[in-house]
Amino acid sequence: MTDTTANTSEEGLAGSVLFYEKPEPLSAEHHGTLGVDPVDHPYAFVAKSHVVPLTVTEFAPAALSYPVIFVGETRQPVAVMGLRPTENLFIEPNGEFRAEAYIPGYVRRYPFVFANDDAQKRMILCIDRAAEFVKEGGAAKLFEDGKPSAYTQQAMEFCNNFEQERLRTEAFVTLLKDLDLLETRDAVFTPRNADGTAGEPQKLADYYAVSEEKLKTLPAKKLAELRDNGALGQIYAHLVSLLGWDRLIAMTFQRAAKTPAAANA
């Protein structure tokens, strides 16, 4: 829902969500003349982030493009899109995703996002006022006659669906924790010396992943439950996605070859 009297401060929202520099509770009073224009570089805002959060139902399509891993204390699922913290290998110079890459819902909902209004026990639709394509008199109006436009209503529906998927993802991660299936792993690259011998291994990242050994030792009844509720399929998608580390390494070398200066950065 869109609210104009939310007890949510701008300071409380800013900086708390990846990509959102100046999120504001959306209202006709403050944003009635704004709209969204098409831009030349639609996904440029993702170019300096090497990971993007995922929901559990995205594991399968995302696995075709990226390693899907779990990070942080909350074991947040993310798609790994680069090996360097400020480099996304899947964003082209024109600000588009690579044609074959899956675009996560977290990215597609931008510049909109839901925020918690704890005082009123509800969710508030916000917009990133700093987004370059949110402009005065923009083509896709946010409001018409003081009411949310069709464009804004579609955004609200998308964000609402995303919120439901986010809650489903939290439940999935809790299940993995309860079954003690997550373990720490390292992504390692072993370069080749000039003579063809193996060089010194280099750690690229450490993260959490499902332990295949622990998965195998689960009781048959529990495995059947995971299969029936769809969790087992998502787990396998995650495990298969880990083969994507080699793709990221290859893409990193390809980009460095095109821009030699980056290799020494």
Side-chain angles (χ1 to χ4, degrees), residues 39-44 91-98:
V39 292
D40 294 332
H41 309 287
Y43 297 111
I91 303 298
E92 302 285 15
N94 65 356
E96 291 280 3
F97 262 89
R98 290 172 65 109

Side-chain angles (χ1 to χ4, degrees), residues 17-37:
V17 185
L18 180 66
F19 303 142
Y20 296 79
E21 297 180 14
K22 192 180 179 183
E24 301 175 353
L26 189 63
S27 70
E29 179 183 359
H30 296 101
H31 309 107
T33 59
L34 298 182
V36 175
D37 272 347

Side-chain angles (χ1 to χ4, degrees), residues 17-216:
V17 185
L18 180 66
F19 303 142
Y20 296 79
E21 297 180 14
K22 192 180 179 183
E24 301 175 353
L26 189 63
S27 70
E29 179 183 359
H30 296 101
H31 309 107
T33 59
L34 298 182
V36 175
D37 272 347
V39 292
D40 294 332
H41 309 287
Y43 297 111
F45 66 92
V46 192
K48 293 189 179 300
S49 179
H50 71 309
V51 296
V52 172
L54 286 175
T55 61
V56 65
T57 53
E58 296 181 289
F59 281 18
L64 299 175
S65 302
Y66 323 106
V68 175
I69 64 174
F70 301 86
V71 298
E73 292 184 8
T74 62
R75 310 297 191 261
Q76 167 71 52
V78 298
V80 185
M81 300 184 180
L83 300 181
R84 299 186 180 100
T86 59
E87 182 181 55
N88 190 313
L89 298 168
F90 290 85
I91 303 298
E92 302 285 15
N94 65 356
E96 291 280 3
F97 262 89
R98 290 172 65 109
E100 78 280 6
Y102 173 75
I103 304 177
Y106 191 98
V107 171
R108 286 181 279 123
R109 70 174 179 172
Y110 187 82
F112 299 95
V113 63
F114 269 139
N116 282 314
D117 179 4
D118 293 331
Q120 301 294 327
K121 304 297 182 183
R122 57 186 168 183
M123 303 295 291
I124 305 166
L125 186 67
C126 298
I127 190 168
D128 186 3
R129 190 62 185 86
E132 65 169 317
F133 40 79
V134 177
K135 301 177 180 178
E136 287 286 343
K141 296 180 179 180
L142 298 181
F143 292 89
E144 294 178 339
D145 299 325
K147 297 180 179 180
S149 65
Y151 174 80
T152 298
Q153 290 178 32
Q154 290 176 353
M156 292 170 66
E157 182 178 359
F158 187 92
C159 287
N160 184 63
N161 292 337
F162 184 89
E163 178 63 15
Q164 297 306 311
E165 292 301 325
R166 187 188 67 80
L167 295 175
R168 187 175 289 113
T169 302
E170 287 185 354
F172 173 78
V173 172
T174 297
L175 176 63
L176 297 184
K177 290 179 180 178
D178 290 345
L179 294 175
D180 191 29
L181 288 179
L182 294 172
E183 65 178 4
T184 56
R185 287 200 195 180
D186 294 332
V188 177
F189 167 60
T190 304
R192 290 288 175 182
N193 296 320
D195 60 3
T197 59
E200 188 69 22
Q202 301 175 14
K203 186 168 78 170
L204 303 174
D206 48 27
Y207 59 95
Y208 295 96
V210 170
S211 166
E212 294 181 69
E213 289 303 315
K214 290 182 178 180
L215 188 62
K216 290 176 183 177

Side-chain angles (χ1 to χ4, degrees), residues 219-259:
K221 182 178 180 180
K222 181 55 67 175
L223 281 171
E225 289 178 10
L226 294 177
R227 179 199 64 207
D228 293 343
N229 64 21
L232 192 59
Q234 307 297 0
I235 289 173
Y236 283 137
H238 149 67
L239 291 172
V240 170
S241 80
L242 300 181
L243 298 173
W245 286 110
D246 288 343
R247 184 188 307 118
L248 287 182
I249 293 169
M251 291 174 66
T252 300
F253 278 112
Q254 289 171 359
R255 178 167 291 193
K258 294 179 180 178
T259 54

